[in-house]
Amino acid sequence: MRRLMSLFNVVSAALLAAAFLALQAVQKPPEAPTPPQLQLAERTAVKVKVYFTDAQVQALKPETRTLQVTQTNARVVAQAALNVWAQGPFDRALLGVVPAKTAAPKVYLRGQHFFVDLPASYENLRYGSSGERMLACTITRTLLEERGQDVTFLLAGQNVDSLGHIDLREPFTRQDCADQ
């Protein structure tokens, strides 16, 4: 009769027990992670002038808005101002320059120079030269009200020569839109 506790049987039993424990460890569901704690950023109220156009699309008219921002640096305030600009004016005597629910342009800042990336949909607005100039000037005056030297326009992230009729190769300054 053979021995029950032979070396082969003991090693085989140990390997079987290790395989069973490994199988149990692999099939065990992972512990649920603890959700991160939400940290609400304190919002600061900032007053800005946002420019729109009159009913005849002849003159720029400012509307003072109070924006709630988490940071008061120039780029964040400028982006918040253009988000409000894209939503349109509160005053019914003024007109928004872009149709309702149109995406706001993205704003970037390098030193004293603003870069405004217009969405590709702005190319299809078909405003004509005076409408395109009003679009560029309302953005320029809104951004350069408090700080900045000039505004360079991009279309869908690319430098373009024009938006259709107006020349966008050179940056717009306050003086370019002073006659509006």
Side-chain angles (χ1 to χ4, degrees):
M1 190 169 199
R2 295 185 158 199
R3 292 179 45 199
L4 187 62
M5 296 300 279
S6 71
L7 179 62
F8 178 78
N9 288 347
V10 171
V11 170
S12 295
L15 286 176
L16 185 62
F20 179 76
L21 291 175
L23 181 65
Q24 293 297 320
V26 170
Q27 290 181 343
K28 183 179 171 182
E31 291 183 27
T34 57
Q37 295 293 327
L38 292 177
Q39 295 184 4
L40 298 176
E42 185 176 328
R43 295 191 174 265
T44 307
V46 177
K47 286 189 182 256
V48 296
K49 278 188 183 178
V50 181
Y51 283 84
F52 299 102
T53 183
D54 63 349
Q56 293 77 29
V57 191
Q58 298 296 317
L60 298 177
K61 300 290 183 182
E63 189 173 85
T64 302
R65 296 280 188 95
T66 302
L67 308 176
Q68 299 292 326
V69 293
T70 56
Q71 299 175 5
T72 56
N73 67 43
R75 196 204 69 75
V76 171
V77 172
Q79 185 64 60
L82 283 192
N83 291 345
V84 167
W85 170 86
Q87 293 171 2
F90 286 150
D91 186 355
R92 294 192 187 272
L94 303 178
L95 294 177
V97 181
V98 292
K101 298 184 182 178
T102 301
K106 299 287 183 217
V107 180
Y108 304 98
L109 180 65
R110 179 176 282 168
Q112 293 292 317
H113 309 283
F114 284 102
F115 293 85
V116 175
D117 186 9
L118 302 171
S121 62
Y122 282 43
E123 188 174 28
N124 301 325
L125 291 176
R126 305 197 190 286
Y127 278 165
S129 59
S130 62
E132 290 172 1
R133 180 168 170 71
M134 192 59 70
L135 181 135
C137 284
T138 54
I139 292 173
T140 299
R141 293 284 296 272
T142 298
L143 294 178
L144 299 181
E145 182 68 29
E146 294 294 321
R147 64 171 290 173
Q149 183 177 341
D150 54 33
V151 178
T152 300
F153 289 94
L154 307 170
L155 184 63
Q158 302 293 318
N159 287 325
V160 291
D161 293 339
S162 68
L163 186 59
H165 300 94
I166 62 167
D167 185 12
L168 295 181
R169 292 178 289 187
E170 296 294 323
F172 277 67
T173 63
R174 285 181 189 88
Q175 291 77 25
D176 294 331
C177 297
D179 60 342
Q180 295 290 322

